[in-house]
């Protein structure tokens, strides 16, 4: 009898997202009903939301409870009234029988009536040893208010991937995320001590993303495990007594990272690369907010960056990154690139321009900073 290796000649499922309507169209057909439950559960796990998975229960009795063992729970309050959404999520979790969750996603606004329920949902996910946790929450009553995470959240050995948006990280003690490999924080107030606590408590962290975070002046990423750093935006209007020029100079000291991306809108005067000596690749796709022709202008109390400041910062980036194998400068930096080129700056051979080429026909517009980019391939 011929032996068949595990996985050989087994049905394969495409990794793309599956729409609920596609299942509804073929749900009664012989081909899909012939599949074993384990593959049907895999199909349900690729639907955009858990609500879609539950809706397949209308296909037949066999489908009614198939959503229950799906290891991913995804909830988004888009197109839901808030109270109805809270009721939906709470009811669904009460019906779940999972002892282990691969992924838990919640995107919702909350108010004083529903905040405790959101905390309960997180507790449920943690009790199921969730590996990938994605929280996007915002207070609909107080715009500037953020969601305070419970202390148990900071001691967890099951997390492998965390995405936190609108959350306050306020650990009382030492953070312990022993198996965390990827961390994405959006709009978080982070100081240097908190960042160090995160790094020291995440010995396997490989990818770190700061998306429009604020509150720090220096990023010391000295962990040997972190290889990928994404600095995506910096936007914060400080109190009046903190509006000095030095408050918005950010330093990055990351001697062990291999990949660096600087992107998004930067409301700061300067971003300095102190040590990125191990870098292999870098991506620049940022915009300096509030630049002005003179240094007399002030934006929200900040000393506004001038066009000269922009050019000097990009020049410094290019010089500090001359050792990397490949430096990609993308569309958001195109005007600064145009001005530097027009002034005779020679770009090193390791630089790639994957998104645009530049039109030099109008020298006056280049001199004024109003040059434009044209979509194309490599330059």
């Amino acid at each position: 009898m011929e032996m068949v290796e595990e996985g050989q000649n087994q049905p394969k499922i495409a990794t793309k997202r599956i729409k609920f309507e596609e299942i509804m169209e073929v749900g009664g057909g012989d081909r899909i009903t012939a599949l074993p439950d384990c593959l049907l559960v895999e199909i349900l796990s690729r639907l955009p939301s858990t609500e879609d998975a539950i809706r397949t229960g209308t296909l037949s009795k066999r489908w009614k409870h198939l959503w229950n063992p799906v290891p991913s729970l995804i909830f988004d309050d888009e197109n839901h009234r808030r109270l109805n959404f809270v009721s939906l999520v709470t009811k669904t979790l009460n019906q779940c029988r999972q002892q282990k969750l691969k992924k838990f996603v919640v995107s919702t606004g909350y108010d004083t009536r529903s905040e405790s329920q959101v905390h309960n949902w997180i507790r449920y996910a943690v009790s199921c040893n969730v590996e990938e946790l994605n929280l996007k929450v915002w207070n609909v009553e107080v715009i500037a208010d953020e969601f305070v995470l419970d202390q148990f959240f900071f001691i967890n050995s099951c997390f492998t991937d965390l995405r936190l948006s609108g959350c306050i990280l306020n650990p009382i003690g030492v953070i312990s995320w022993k198996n965390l490999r990827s961390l994405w924080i959006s709009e978080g107030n982070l100081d240097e001590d908190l960042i160090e606590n995160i790094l020291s408590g995440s010995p396997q962290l490989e990818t770190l993303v700061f998306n429009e975070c604020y509150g720090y002046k220096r990023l010391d990423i000295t962990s040997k495990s972190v290889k990928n750093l994404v600095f995506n935006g910096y936007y914060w209007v400080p109190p009046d007594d903190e509006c000095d020029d030095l408050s918005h100079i950010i330093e990055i000291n990351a001697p062990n990272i291999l990949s660096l991306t600087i992107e998004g809108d930067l409301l700061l005067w300067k971003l300095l690369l102190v040590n990125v000596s191990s870098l292999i690749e870098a991506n620049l796709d940022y915009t300096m907010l509030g630049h002005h022709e003179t240094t007399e202008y002030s934006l929200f109390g900040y000393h506004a960056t001038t066009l000269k400041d922009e050019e000097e910062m990009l020049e410094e980036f290019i010089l500090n990154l001359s050792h990397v194998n490949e430096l990609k400068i993308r569309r958001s930096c195109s005007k600064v690139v145009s001005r530097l080129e027009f002034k005779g700056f020679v770009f090193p051979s390791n630089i790639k321009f994957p998104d645009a080429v530049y039109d030099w026909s109008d020298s006056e517009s280049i001199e004024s900073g109003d040059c434009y980019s044209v979509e194309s391939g490599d330059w």
Side-chain angles (χ1 to χ4, degrees), residues 336-347 360 379:
V336 186
V337 169
S338 300
R339 298 199 302 271
L340 288 178
E341 175 74 13
F342 184 74
K343 292 178 178 180
F345 183 83
V346 178
F347 292 89
W360 314 112
W379 185 38

Side-chain angles (χ1 to χ4, degrees), residues 173-192:
V174 174
I175 290 176
S176 180
W177 293 331
K178 295 181 179 180
N179 291 303
L180 189 66
R181 289 178 172 80
S182 178
L183 176 62
W184 185 93
I185 302 177
S186 181
E187 301 174 359
N189 188 351
L190 311 174
D191 60 28
E192 287 85 351

Side-chain angles (χ1 to χ4, degrees), residues 203-264:
Q204 298 192 55
L205 187 64
E206 298 173 357
T207 299
L208 181 59
V209 181
F210 290 140
N211 179 60
E212 296 185 352
C213 294
Y214 57 93
Y216 55 87
K217 298 179 182 179
R218 182 179 173 97
L219 284 179
D220 268 313
I221 314 296
T222 56
S223 166
K224 292 184 178 180
S225 66
V226 177
K227 301 303 180 185
N228 309 299
L229 175 63
V230 178
F231 184 94
N232 187 349
Y234 188 96
Y235 188 95
W236 183 47
V237 181
D240 292 338
D241 59 353
E242 295 182 19
C243 287
D244 60 276
D245 286 350
L246 294 178
S247 70
H248 53 287
I249 295 179
I250 304 300
E251 297 179 338
I252 295 180
N253 178 44
N256 300 308
I257 63 172
L258 303 179
S259 174
L260 172 66
T261 296
I262 300 173
E263 60 187 5

Side-chain angles (χ1 to χ4, degrees), residues 73-92:
L73 296 176
I74 302 172
F75 302 100
D76 191 331
D77 74 353
E78 186 177 7
N79 300 323
H80 285 83
R81 295 182 60 183
R82 185 155 294 105
L83 290 179
N84 291 343
F85 178 77
V86 171
S87 176
L88 166 69
V89 177
T90 301
K91 180 179 179 181
T92 300

Side-chain angles (χ1 to χ4, degrees), residues 36-149:
D37 283 0
C38 62
L39 288 185
L40 294 181
V41 169
E42 179 68 19
I43 290 173
L44 294 183
S45 71
R46 299 185 186 279
L47 290 173
S49 73
T50 297
E51 186 178 9
D52 287 334
I54 294 174
R55 288 169 60 198
T56 62
T58 60
L59 294 173
S60 68
K61 290 183 178 180
R62 182 188 178 193
W63 286 80
K64 186 173 183 180
H65 299 291
L66 270 178
W67 69 271
N68 208 294
V70 173
S72 300
L73 296 176
I74 302 172
F75 302 100
D76 191 331
D77 74 353
E78 186 177 7
N79 300 323
H80 285 83
R81 295 182 60 183
R82 185 155 294 105
L83 290 179
N84 291 343
F85 178 77
V86 171
S87 176
L88 166 69
V89 177
T90 301
K91 180 179 179 181
T92 300
L93 297 185
N94 287 337
Q95 294 176 349
C96 286
R97 297 294 179 267
Q98 291 100 327
Q99 294 183 345
K100 174 66 179 176
L101 277 178
K102 175 68 175 177
K103 179 188 294 186
F104 187 77
V105 179
V106 170
S107 176
T108 183
Y110 66 92
D111 54 25
T112 52
R113 294 174 297 176
S114 59
E115 183 174 3
S116 62
Q117 291 298 318
V118 179
H119 280 287
N120 289 337
W121 303 342
I122 297 172
R123 289 191 189 96
Y124 173 83
V126 171
S127 71
C128 292
N129 298 319
V130 64
E131 296 179 17
E132 301 173 27
L133 182 62
N134 185 338
L135 298 177
K136 183 179 180 180
V137 291
W138 60 94
N139 193 318
V140 298
E141 296 173 330
V142 183
I143 300 300
D145 200 19
E146 294 176 295
F147 186 82
V148 181
L149 294 168

Side-chain angles (χ1 to χ4, degrees), residues 258 276 278-282 320-327 350:
L258 303 179
V276 288
S278 298
L279 269 187
I280 295 175
E281 62 177 19
N320 288 330
L321 298 173
S322 61
H323 64 285
V324 306
N325 292 346
E326 186 173 76
L327 169 58
N350 68 331

